[in-house]
Amino acid sequence: MNDLKILKQGAEAKLYICKYLGKSTLIKERFQKRYRHPDLDKSITKERIRNEARSIVRCKTADVKTPALYLVDFQRRRIYMQHFEHSITVKDYIIQHATKNAEITQNLDEICKMIGITVRKLHENNIIHGDLTTSNMLLVPKNLNNETTEEKCLEKERFDLVMIDFGLSFIDSSTEDKGVDLYVLERALISTHNDYPDLFSKILDAYKNHSKNNIKEILSKFEEVRARGRKRTMVG
Amino acid sequence: MVIAIGFEGSANKLGVGIVRDGEILANCRRTYITPPGEGFLPRETAEHHQQNIHEVLQEALDQSGLSPQQIDVVCYTKGPGMGAPLMVCAIVARTCAKLWNKPILGVNHCVGHIEMGRLITKANNPTVLYVSGGNTQVIAYSRQRYRIFGETIDIAVGNCLDRFARVLKLSNAPSPGYNIEQAAKKGIKYLQLPYCVKGMDVSFSGILSYMEDKIEELLKEYTPEDLCYSLQETLFAMLVEITERAMAHCGSDEVLIVGGVGCNERLQEMMGVMCAERGAKVFATDERFCIDNGVMIAYAGALAHESGTRMEFKDATITQRYRTDDVLVTWRND
């Protein structure tokens, strides 16, 4: 558990890598934000750690892959979880690998479908992710052995989609929250991958087809949230 | 060299400004101020603009020392904004263009704020937080568009502050937001309020209704100053958080704050602390340029005119909804 290696400093957490009980472990430490009131900082941090842990556990029953949770340490503002050494975010995958050749396009279709189904599974179980972006989705190769590289695995579509970063997540059964979740995803795709305009419609198709349960209400709520957002360029 | 005149009247501020190559020759403004407890409505605001626009125009021409014939292009706010007040400025701009025989150009209000901010602060390629009475957006430039990364999904942050000022019956002069800012400086006791960040988007309406519903009760335990302080701390923490997320997302190390709420010094301070922690720089302007004005319309119009954007007279209309990312940014090619 010693020798922490800092992997990355994000907007709200520092990520360290270590060995914990013999396993490769990622520590996510939500450091203090000095710009906000200390009481607010404390309560936000605590709430997000709690949300993250709770949703990860709930994802297990929803059959959605996430890093396994090892330990929660409120005192040090840390969560310990499984670290995927060979993984790539969907965002990086699209940016790095997606040139216009046909095979990749097919791969992208497959990824979109997986995203749609996964988000649907979350919502079926009333898990609202709260920050659906392609940076918060990992592609992890299945059965990685020494000969196959990450890239090869991805090409052969032998990968899992792993959802991460549940800090803004919560449990809610309302269609409003599901609609907003979809809206957040759509907006993230438009701003990050504006060169691939049809990603979201593919994801939404898979989302719709996976289960018919309540789908009409969710979609009409989504349209409503969308219209609300668009209207927002009003006065000022 | 382009000399441009700009007419702005999308909300309760009426402004006429003149610029020559980024040099401000005139910046004149009138604000329609309503009694405490009341907001400004489209019809009354339009009447205010009608009654004042000739005087403001004359003042701007006098201040610049130019004759109308020296002006190259007449710019006005095409949107977004309140319909009736926008219309007043558009009509006067069209009349001037015809009288003086000059080309006319409609400008997106939000883009006006961004370009004004870049001009004044010399920020190069910043992540922009645009916060005002009607808009709350986190914007970054990419491939000839100002793209919206995050925004409010309901009311604007300035609207939330203004309406809370109405609940407390604070004065609307010089602006409700300014009076909240001053009251907040005297606040001591912090009240925890709902905090609502959804991805890179925010929601403020829940906080406002929470305050509205409980105000009687809250005032027994907290002073109005405490409530202003708590409200500001909460709203601004949300704004700084989504700005930081967008910066991390785009790998940006500059932030530019524009719009009326942008002159709030507490917001600037909080943004400064966030930026210092990540080795970034914050840029902001004061009330002359943060608050709606004619110069920003003139300057953004001049940039577009110079880079070849033209508008047919018959297209010189207004629109209440006009998204920031609808505008093709012809004057940048980075």
Side-chain angles (χ1 to χ4, degrees), chain A:
Chain A
M1 251 194 74
N2 302 325
D3 56 288
L4 297 180
K5 242 193 350 206
I6 186 148
L7 178 73
K8 196 184 146 204
Q9 175 160 350
E12 59 170 346
K14 287 178 184 147
L15 300 179
Y16 302 97
I17 300 196
C18 72
K19 281 261 184 259
Y20 177 71
L21 302 175
K23 293 179 191 126
S24 176
T25 300
L26 186 78
I27 302 176
K28 182 169 179 178
E29 183 180 293
R30 294 176 181 273
F31 55 91
Q32 199 195 338
K33 291 291 185 185
R34 276 173 228 286
Y35 65 79
R36 61 192 173 204
H37 193 283
D39 293 0
L40 179 61
D41 186 67
K42 227 186 229 161
S43 75
I44 288 176
T45 303
K46 198 165 177 191
E47 193 186 313
R48 293 195 179 160
I49 291 175
R50 196 191 294 132
N51 291 342
E52 177 139 38
R54 192 177 281 163
S55 293
I56 285 178
V57 172
R58 202 169 169 118
C59 278
K60 264 219 165 330
T61 58
D63 187 32
V64 169
K65 296 205 167 54
T66 65
L69 186 66
Y70 295 153
L71 181 73
V72 176
D73 182 348
F74 279 116
Q75 221 71 62
R76 288 199 276 183
R77 303 167 155 242
R78 285 175 175 178
I79 282 190
Y80 292 58
M81 57 191 146
Q82 182 181 5
H83 174 51
F84 298 102
E85 283 166 74
H86 303 277
S87 67
I88 180 169
T89 64
V90 171
K91 177 186 169 190
D92 289 343
Y93 178 78
I94 295 177
I95 290 169
Q96 287 169 23
H97 296 259
T99 45
K100 299 257 155 147
N101 74 54
E103 198 179 332
I104 295 291
T105 313
Q106 206 185 344
N107 250 349
L108 268 185
D109 285 354
E110 183 64 22
I111 292 171
C112 286
K113 200 172 147 197
M114 288 173 79
I115 295 172
I117 293 171
T118 306
V119 174
R120 187 72 180 124
K121 280 186 195 163
L122 289 174
H123 288 179
E124 288 271 83
N125 287 276
N126 299 329
I127 304 167
I128 311 299
H129 186 280
D131 191 13
L132 287 173
T133 67
T134 46
S135 322
N136 289 338
M137 302 170 186
L138 297 181
L139 298 174
V140 180
K142 291 179 198 170
N143 316 317
L144 188 80
N145 59 44
N146 291 336
E147 286 113 72
T148 50
T149 63
E150 282 166 56
E151 241 165 83
K152 279 228 172 94
C153 279
L154 290 173
E155 278 165 18
K156 285 177 191 158
E157 297 168 11
R158 288 185 307 171
F159 52 84
D160 285 324
L161 184 74
V162 175
M163 302 298 289
I164 57 168
D165 226 336
F166 283 86
L168 293 180
S169 72
F170 54 97
I171 309 296
D172 200 302
S173 59
S174 75
T175 49
E176 160 86 17
D177 287 310
K178 291 169 190 173
V180 171
D181 222 19
L182 288 172
Y183 179 63
V184 166
L185 175 62
E186 184 188 29
R187 295 279 319 289
L189 289 168
I190 291 171
S191 57
T192 319
H193 306 292
N194 51 54
D195 36 354
Y196 289 92
D198 58 349
L199 292 177
F200 184 73
S201 63
K202 284 178 186 163
I203 292 172
L204 197 61
D205 279 340
Y207 182 92
K208 278 187 255 186
N209 294 334
H210 183 67
S211 147
K212 297 283 168 235
N213 193 12
N214 235 357
I215 194 76
K216 262 206 192 116
E217 289 82 351
I218 295 174
L219 290 178
S220 76
K221 206 69 186 176
F222 166 61
E223 291 298 338
E224 190 192 311
V225 175
R226 218 184 195 181
R228 222 187 285 158
R230 291 265 157 83
K231 255 184 239 169
R232 267 303 85 212
T233 19
M234 296 277 283
V235 283

Side-chain angles (χ1 to χ4, degrees), chain B residues 54-71:
Chain B
H54 298 105
E55 194 181 287
V56 180
L57 173 58
Q58 190 61 55
E59 198 178 301
L61 285 169
D62 292 347
Q63 206 177 83
S64 71
L66 295 176
S67 75
Q69 280 320 310
Q70 290 172 277
I71 289 166

